[in-house]
Amino acid sequence: MHAASKGRTSIVRAMLAVGANRGLKDDEKRTAYDWAYGRGYTEAASILRSLQITCAACRKLLSRAAFSNSQLKKPEGAARCKHCASTGAAVQTGAAAVEQQEA
């Protein structure tokens, strides 16, 4: 998180390569991505963001680890996280998806 907040892309990449938890949040509920983006470090933010996927059912931005391999093979915007897939949550489309993202 500290490396991302300082825009240290080489350290961000190295930490992710050894399995750093990119979903970890600080006391104010901010992730490394939030820190990098908020401070204008677009390259670090882009590295962290590219490793995340939005669940088509709950619309949460999650790490790839939250999705099964079969879900990751689906077209962009169609993958459901493990939780939503196991509960049978429906993929949100149209106005419902937009409202959920804005919330």
Side-chain angles (χ1 to χ4, degrees), residues 19-100:
N21 180 356
R22 63 188 149 268
L24 188 66
K25 295 182 180 184
D26 64 12
D27 294 340
E28 296 176 16
K29 308 289 186 220
R30 292 178 293 191
T31 64
Y33 168 81
D34 297 328
W35 276 103
Y37 182 80
R39 292 194 169 181
Y41 296 115
T42 56
E43 185 177 357
S46 178
I47 292 166
L48 292 158
R49 178 86 176 190
S50 69
L51 300 171
Q52 297 179 321
I53 302 170
T54 301
C55 174
C58 67
R59 308 305 298 170
K60 291 180 181 174
L61 185 63
L62 303 165
S63 72
R64 295 176 63 85
F67 297 84
S68 68
N69 287 336
S70 62
Q71 289 293 321
L72 290 173
K73 293 177 184 175
K74 291 189 175 192
E76 187 175 335
R80 292 182 297 166
C81 67
K82 291 174 185 174
H83 173 76
C84 289
S86 70
T87 61
V91 172
Q92 295 185 18
T93 58
V98 172
E99 288 174 12
Q100 181 71 20

Side-chain angles (χ1 to χ4, degrees), residues 12-20:
V12 169
R13 282 190 180 101
M15 293 181 71
L16 291 172
V18 296

